[in-house]
Amino acid sequence: MTEPTDIGTRTLGTVAPLTVSTLGLGCMGMSEFYGTGDENLLTRDLEDEILPTIRELGIGLVPYSPLGRGLLTGAVTSEDSLEHGDSRRTAYFPRFQGESLDANLVLVDKIRQLASAKGCSPGQLALAWVLAQGDDIVPIPGTKRVRYLEENAAAAGVRLNADDLAELTTAVPRDAVAGDRYGDMSSIDQ
């Protein structure tokens, strides 16, 4: 058995050196929902305070659910398109309920149109937007199927220029999402 090779350390920002694993992967980062509380096109809560701070500190961001729990893929077309036992049909996810879902689907339709013009899927465009936010942001979209894994990975090949990013910002304004990220949880643990 061969011993792993130490490839050294890397300094991130002004904070401290970061030890790098034998695979070359850093061990300093922050996981957050980029967009819907995640950071994605629908919710960009992190842009004002958190993102500048972690960048100043040299911390990377690993947004989870960058596809807005599947909403940004275009696969959700109505509440009825969700399976009966799907948790997104519950009050726990207000963005998938009634008028909020209807308003959010209007935004998704705009994303679908822009994606079609770019020759990619809505999900790929949404992931490409997250990737375009900086080299220190590495989204982790979840999936159960290999075909979606491959589609998500192909988003790295979708190039967005300044005009594309401006068009997306206009089509999906920062505060456009309808419904809260999560339902009222105040009764839990009482």
Side-chain angles (χ1 to χ4, degrees):
M1 183 172 142
T2 60
E3 292 296 316
T5 305
D6 178 17
I7 60 171
T9 61
R10 191 180 309 168
T11 300
L12 292 179
T14 58
V15 180
L18 165 70
T19 302
V20 179
S21 73
T22 57
L23 297 175
L25 302 174
C27 59
M28 185 179 239
M30 176 183 164
S31 177
E32 180 54 70
F33 212 48
Y34 202 118
T36 330
D38 0 49
E39 192 59 26
N40 62 46
L41 274 166
L42 295 180
T43 305
R44 303 192 289 266
D45 309 359
L46 305 175
E47 291 177 350
D48 292 332
E49 294 179 28
I50 294 174
L51 201 50
T53 300
I54 65 174
R55 283 186 167 147
E56 179 182 326
L57 297 173
I59 299 171
L61 177 67
V62 182
Y64 65 93
S65 196
L67 294 172
R69 302 203 178 277
L71 187 60
L72 292 170
T73 66
V76 178
T77 56
S78 69
E79 204 168 332
D80 291 335
S81 69
L82 300 169
E83 292 183 23
H84 229 21
D86 193 313
S87 63
R88 294 172 293 180
R89 291 186 78 144
T90 68
Y92 186 65
F93 296 110
R95 292 181 179 174
F96 288 86
Q97 309 300 308
E99 291 178 4
S100 292
L101 179 61
D102 293 341
N104 293 331
L105 289 175
V106 170
L107 300 173
V108 172
D109 191 51
K110 293 177 184 179
I111 294 167
R112 185 188 330 269
Q113 291 170 23
L114 294 170
S116 178
K118 286 291 283 180
C120 63
S121 72
Q124 287 173 324
L125 183 62
L127 287 172
W129 179 87
V130 173
L131 290 168
Q133 302 312 301
D135 291 339
D136 55 350
I137 298 176
V138 182
I140 50 170
T143 184
K144 297 176 186 171
R145 294 175 181 79
V146 171
R147 70 181 176 145
Y148 295 132
L149 174 67
E150 292 169 345
E151 181 179 314
N152 292 342
V158 176
R159 299 290 175 237
L160 301 178
N161 61 36
D163 290 339
D164 296 326
L165 293 171
E167 203 170 3
L168 278 164
T169 299
T170 300
V172 185
R174 186 174 167 175
D175 59 352
V177 69
D180 291 330
R181 176 177 170 188
Y182 295 113
D184 180 14
M185 304 298 287
S186 62
S187 64
I188 293 180
D189 290 334
Q190 290 192 17

